[in-house]
Amino acid sequence: MVLKQRRGKKAPAANAPAKAAAPTDKSKESNNNDGVDAEKKDHFNPVIIVALFYTLACGLLFFYYNKYGPSMFLGKGWKDYKWSPYKWRQFIDDNERTILIIGGPHRSGT
């Protein structure tokens, strides 16, 4: 059984050495790249690293803010009054204010 050649194709010579195919531009770019484009292989995007760093930092701050409250950022004395007792007495007397202090015996455990 003899195979017929398609039209337009020439039959190869019986004893001719096989010619190596000339490398094309596409085959030159894809050599040793493991299927990855040359532009994408060497490209590093530092935005991802920076975003991960800030996400981690914000997550830690959020955790400790929920645990300790605003005193974590403002310090322990942020709610303390800065006036001396004499200044408070003068403020109360000048503005005709009254202070009511409610207290009693301290009973721990109840």
Side-chain angles (χ1 to χ4, degrees), residues 26-85:
K26 192 171 186 177
S27 66
K28 286 180 185 177
E29 290 176 3
S30 64
N31 286 344
N32 299 325
N33 285 339
D34 298 329
V36 179
D37 291 338
E39 295 174 6
K40 292 183 181 179
K41 185 176 181 182
D42 296 333
H43 184 67
F44 176 72
N45 193 356
V47 174
I48 295 171
I49 302 297
V50 172
L52 288 174
F53 173 75
Y54 280 115
T55 302
L56 179 67
C58 290
L60 286 172
L61 285 174
F62 181 74
F63 173 76
Y64 284 109
Y65 180 79
N66 283 335
K67 189 173 182 179
Y68 297 114
S71 64
M72 181 177 95
F73 297 111
L74 303 173
K76 290 183 178 181
W78 73 279
K79 287 194 283 186
D80 294 347
Y81 297 114
K82 306 295 185 229
W83 290 357
S84 67

Side-chain angles (χ1 to χ4, degrees), residues 5-13:
Q5 290 288 326
R6 288 198 260 163
R7 284 186 210 174
K9 298 275 184 176
K10 294 182 181 178

